[in-house]
Amino acid sequence: MTHPSWQPWQPGQGGGVPQRWQDGGAPQAWNGPATPAMLASHADRERAVDVLRAGYGEGRLEHAEFEKRVSRAYTARTVGELALLVADLPQGPMPQPAPVTPVPRTFLQVSRPQTNGKAVGSAVCGVLCLVSFGLTGIPAVVLGHAARSEIRRTGEGGDALALTGLVLGWLSNVAWAALLALMIVATALSA
């Protein structure tokens, strides 16, 4: 029993007619779905339907036309038939520019200035004056004055914190100074 000899295809010659490789050369790569007569695969049909869905979603096709083309896509036998179904559509969803409408100032987010770190430190030291028996009063005053100076210069937030630290620090320092003065007077009178 004799079998016919195998004849490899040579792309690009003879319009798809099988021919032998000449002179023992290597086969050339197939050009893909550029051949309109090539049979369509399921994936080719699904790609065509996806393009149709995108066109319908963008309002490029009426519903009846969309349904008609989808049914034709699923019954298409060749890649050429599918190409005709989507030839007048872009090959995917087209980005639509967003409408530019100004947002009223009332609804814009207000950016709050950053709180000054020295102001926070001044307020913490001022509050700690109550539990540390006034030992943090001098740092509260120094940090408070430095913070208020920086806040005026840079526009940062935290002026109330710096003022709180200043008031508590000065009250602590004045109380310690008055206590020290009373102790000096008491020792002078007792001597």
Side-chain angles (χ1 to χ4, degrees):
M1 171 182 215
T2 58
H3 296 286
S5 65
W6 180 67
Q7 298 179 7
W9 293 70
Q10 184 143 4
Q13 292 183 356
V17 177
Q19 296 180 359
R20 290 185 182 276
W21 283 315
Q22 298 172 355
D23 303 326
Q28 297 178 357
W30 174 66
N31 291 335
T35 309
M38 184 176 67
L39 292 177
S41 68
H42 294 299
D44 293 332
R45 290 184 190 95
E46 289 301 322
R47 279 192 293 270
V49 170
D50 287 342
V51 171
L52 291 171
R53 283 188 186 125
Y56 176 69
E58 293 172 353
R60 297 178 189 275
L61 296 172
E62 296 293 325
H63 185 69
E65 177 72 17
F66 169 70
E67 292 293 329
K68 180 178 153 187
R69 288 189 188 194
V70 167
S71 66
R72 285 181 58 196
Y74 282 124
T75 59
R77 290 198 28 87
T78 64
V79 175
E81 292 175 43
L82 293 173
L84 288 175
L85 291 174
V86 297
D88 59 344
L89 296 172
Q91 298 301 308
M94 298 294 289
Q96 300 294 324
V100 178
T101 55
V103 178
R105 280 183 70 92
T106 308
F107 299 112
L108 290 177
Q109 182 179 0
V110 178
S111 61
R112 299 177 67 184
Q114 182 179 0
T115 304
N116 186 292
K118 291 179 183 173
V120 173
S122 174
V124 168
C125 288
V127 170
L128 288 178
C129 285
L130 303 173
V131 294
S132 68
F133 301 109
L135 293 176
T136 58
I138 294 175
V141 171
V142 171
L143 287 172
H145 283 295
R148 293 199 73 199
S149 172
E150 284 182 11
I151 288 170
R152 280 192 294 272
R153 185 172 29 102
T154 63
E156 290 179 310
D159 191 47
L161 291 172
L163 191 58
T164 301
L166 274 171
V167 168
L168 291 175
W170 277 115
L171 286 174
S172 171
N173 291 336
V174 167
W176 276 105
L179 183 61
L180 186 60
L182 283 174
M183 288 174 59
I184 291 174
V185 169
T187 55
L189 290 177
S190 66

